[in-house]
Amino acid sequence: QVQLVESGGGLVQPGGSLRLSCAASGRIFSRNRMGWYRQAPGKERELVASMHSAGSTNYADSVKGRFTISRDNAKNTVYLQMNSLKSEDTAVYYCMYSDYVLSGTSWGQGTQVTVSS
């Protein structure tokens, strides 16, 4: 089992920036994928960005060029730098951890991001 603790959500004006952080602890396998999903009211949870411990990344088309995912493997922490935020980015953002050997998939409790003037 892996525990995930998220931080960094909040209220920001359109065009602003936020940085989310997620620290993992517990039964962590060295090869894993961590990332961020989001869920807006009335919508399904969707992938925002993910990053493998080896460095490969993938992004939702809607955030390419605006969001950047990064990670510190020594700290088991993943970050999401969100720039040029839009109202449609408003959602609860969930951190995700996944591996195929030890722990499967785990989710954080979610952090609210609200983009509004």
Side-chain angles (χ1 to χ4, degrees), residues 29-69:
F29 188 62
S30 57
R31 295 194 192 106
N32 62 71
R33 179 170 290 275
M34 293 183 71
W36 295 91
Y37 284 68
R38 67 186 181 188
Q39 187 167 20
K43 295 188 176 181
E44 294 186 354
R45 190 175 296 189
E46 63 176 2
L47 172 71
V48 177
S50 71
M51 187 171 187
H52 193 270
S53 50
S56 64
T57 60
N58 61 304
Y59 292 89
D61 287 343
S62 60
V63 307
K64 285 180 181 177
R66 300 188 298 122
F67 291 9
T68 302
I69 191 169

Side-chain angles (χ1 to χ4, degrees), residues 12-18 66-67 82-87 89 93 113 115:
V12 64
Q13 292 186 343
S17 298
L18 280 176
R66 300 188 298 122
F67 291 9
M82 304 184 292
N83 298 329
S84 302
L85 282 160
K86 306 175 181 179
S87 58
D89 295 316
Y93 283 68
V113 171
V115 184

Side-chain angles (χ1 to χ4, degrees), residues 1-5 22-29 32 34 76 96-99 102-108:
Q1 190 76 4
V2 171
Q3 294 76 45
L4 301 169
V5 178
C22 173
S25 62
R27 300 182 71 219
I28 296 171
F29 188 62
N32 62 71
M34 293 183 71
N76 295 315
M96 181 278 300
Y97 166 97
S98 180
D99 75 64
L102 275 181
S103 299
T105 301
S106 298
W107 295 93

